[in-house]
Amino acid sequence: MRRRQSKLKSIFLVTGSILISPVVASGVVKGVSELGSVAALFSEITIGTDAGEKDDRRQPMVSHGFGWNDEYKKEPVLKGDKNLVPYPEITDVRSGNVIMQTFGEYSGNEYFDLEKCGQVRNCTDESTNVLLAQSRLEPEFSVKLNSTPQVLIMHTHTTESFEPFEREYYDASFSYRTSDESMNVVAIGEEMKVQIESCGISVIHDTTIHDYPSYNGSYERSAETVKKILSENPDIKVVLDIHRDAIASDNDLIAPVTRINGKNAAQIMIVSGCDDGTMNMPDYLQNFRLAAMFQQQIEGDYPGLTRPVLFDYRNYNQDLTTGSLLIEVGSHGNSIDQVRYTGELIGKSIGKALQKLT
């Protein structure tokens, strides 16, 4: 039976830290990027259906993101050992529900279908016709097999973590931050690396923590990491910044999930930035070509695994290569097993897509 459609009204606050990823609970309407505006926007956004339940209706987008605008100067500095953020203690406290939702296709002026499969949400003034034309073109770089590193996987918000296991409730004291690499976004990156390398493409997976003890300045720090690695490995063509989203509805956490081969997998959202003339990203359409390529490959291999590509006025260090993308894997309501499984799946698809560029 379908779950009722809910309205997103607020971002869930935990232990004094705002649960934000660079692309949080995608509810920011075109032209709005300030945190203070998000709560009002959530009152107009609806969400989809149960995981695994087929839904032929087109639905509004839910997760849409922020985190790029000075990275929220008001967020407090996290406290604790500079090099250690233990995974939070698991309790049976029930502060609210974890609701698994499958986000389907969407309609509206901002959305368009890619040629093979998958969708894009265009939150810019760039014309849909231009983006469609670009989506049919391959990136202007080639990939070498069984050679020097071609792909860099890294994490600007390295300590972003997940539920310990699939459950129907959450504990409000749970911080969703840890330096434990088996429980944070690093675990996703490692699954991706294994699968991409199985396709003969060498990968560097950098696990530097950029968001602790201070969340502020994470992108500046991760930019320095990426620049250093690129200078030492000039053959790298693709840089993937792996994050998790954070979606809440009233007193519930929302976990974007779909069924793949009988297992729950966290849905993903690829973010491709557009330059509004102030971001020094003249080659942003090159990144978009790669986003469209990955989107169609992943959605073709695993229908329902992707949410629409978010094409918006964002930088996220995507000026550093013409193959730079941010990927949101699940949300803080997803379990670590769900997101690890997704890492395996998208790693396989990304490897297959990159093999076409050899």
Side-chain angles (χ1 to χ4, degrees):
M1 187 168 185
R2 295 187 191 280
R3 293 188 190 274
R4 62 179 174 80
Q5 288 193 326
S6 303
K7 290 193 174 184
L8 292 177
K9 294 182 179 178
S10 62
I11 294 180
F12 184 64
L13 302 182
V14 152
T15 60
S17 294
I18 299 172
L19 286 175
I20 54 177
S21 74
V23 183
V24 181
S26 292
V28 180
V29 180
K30 184 177 180 180
V32 180
S33 61
E34 294 301 322
L35 179 59
S37 304
V38 174
L41 295 167
F42 282 168
S43 66
E44 302 177 356
I45 300 168
T46 57
I47 57 183
T49 60
D50 287 345
E53 182 177 352
K54 181 176 176 57
D55 186 7
D56 293 325
R57 297 171 302 165
R58 293 192 167 225
Q59 308 158 18
M61 170 64 92
V62 174
S63 178
H64 186 106
F66 46 79
W68 67 300
N69 194 12
D70 294 331
E71 297 185 83
Y72 300 107
K73 295 177 181 178
K74 294 182 180 180
E75 176 156 339
V77 172
L78 298 174
K79 296 180 180 179
D81 187 299
K82 181 176 181 180
N83 299 311
L84 179 65
V85 191
Y87 189 70
E89 180 182 356
I90 300 171
T91 72
D92 195 39
V93 173
R94 300 179 180 229
S95 303
N97 300 316
V98 174
I99 299 177
M100 293 192 296
Q101 298 284 346
T102 297
F103 300 112
E105 293 185 322
Y106 306 93
S107 60
N109 293 334
E110 291 182 337
Y111 299 93
F112 65 89
D113 296 338
L114 292 169
E115 190 169 58
K116 297 177 182 177
C117 56
Q119 291 187 304
V120 173
R121 184 178 191 182
N122 178 17
C123 297
T124 75
D125 292 328
E126 194 74 71
S127 77
T128 295
N129 288 337
V130 167
L131 293 180
L132 271 173
Q134 289 292 321
S135 73
R136 298 185 181 106
L137 301 175
E138 290 186 344
E140 293 181 357
F141 58 76
S142 60
V143 171
K144 300 176 183 177
L145 297 180
N146 305 309
S147 182
T148 53
Q150 306 291 295
V151 176
L152 168 62
I153 296 173
M154 44 73 63
H155 313 274
T156 293
H157 296 152
T158 320
T159 67
E160 290 176 331
S161 67
F162 303 88
E163 283 288 325
F165 43 80
E166 194 172 297
R167 57 182 179 177
E168 296 179 350
Y169 62 91
Y170 68 91
D171 175 0
S173 69
F174 206 69
S175 68
Y176 298 98
R177 292 285 191 85
T178 183
S179 57
D180 182 344
E181 294 181 353
S182 68
M183 301 300 288
N184 64 22
V185 290
V186 171
I188 303 169
E190 196 59 29
E191 295 289 341
M192 293 174 64
K193 176 183 178 182
V194 169
Q195 298 303 325
I196 295 171
E197 288 194 329
S198 71
C199 295
I201 300 164
S202 180
V203 177
I204 291 176
H205 181 200
D206 182 80
T207 62
T208 302
I209 294 176
H210 300 106
D211 60 337
Y212 186 82
S214 175
Y215 191 87
N216 297 341
S218 300
Y219 279 96
E220 285 82 357
R221 290 187 288 275
S222 66
E224 292 307 309
T225 295
V226 172
K227 289 175 184 177
K228 181 176 185 295
I229 293 173
L230 291 177
S231 69
E232 296 170 350
N233 301 272
D235 286 343
I236 287 177
K237 308 299 194 309
V238 174
V239 178
L240 302 177
D241 191 356
I242 308 302
H243 292 250
R244 67 130 168 88
D245 213 335
I247 311 175
S249 172
D250 295 333
N251 199 39
D252 300 327
L253 302 190
I254 309 301
V257 172
T258 191
R259 297 284 287 181
I260 305 291
N261 297 326
K263 295 174 59 177
N264 282 340
Q267 290 180 296
I268 72 159
M269 180 167 65
I270 298 172
V271 183
S272 182
C274 178
D275 194 343
D276 62 0
T278 67
M279 300 179 189
N280 193 31
M281 289 200 306
D283 298 321
Y284 63 89
L285 287 175
Q286 292 289 328
N287 290 327
F288 177 74
R289 290 185 191 181
L290 187 66
M293 184 181 191
F294 284 172
Q295 179 81 349
Q296 293 178 98
Q297 184 72 56
I298 295 168
E299 188 65 19
D301 291 340
Y302 307 107
L305 189 56
T306 69
R307 294 147 65 194
V309 171
L310 176 60
F311 184 73
D312 201 357
Y313 293 118
R314 299 156 193 267
N315 181 283
Y316 297 142
N317 296 328
Q318 293 183 5
D319 58 310
L320 299 181
T321 74
T322 57
S324 293
L325 297 171
L326 185 149
I327 304 178
E328 294 276 12
V329 179
S331 180
H332 55 321
N334 289 97
S335 72
I336 187 65
D337 285 344
Q338 290 170 358
V339 298
R340 285 175 65 99
Y341 183 40
T342 294
E344 173 189 339
L345 298 176
I346 64 175
K348 290 177 179 178
S349 290
I350 288 172
K352 288 166 62 176
L354 292 177
Q355 282 179 325
K356 299 174 183 177
L357 299 179
T358 57

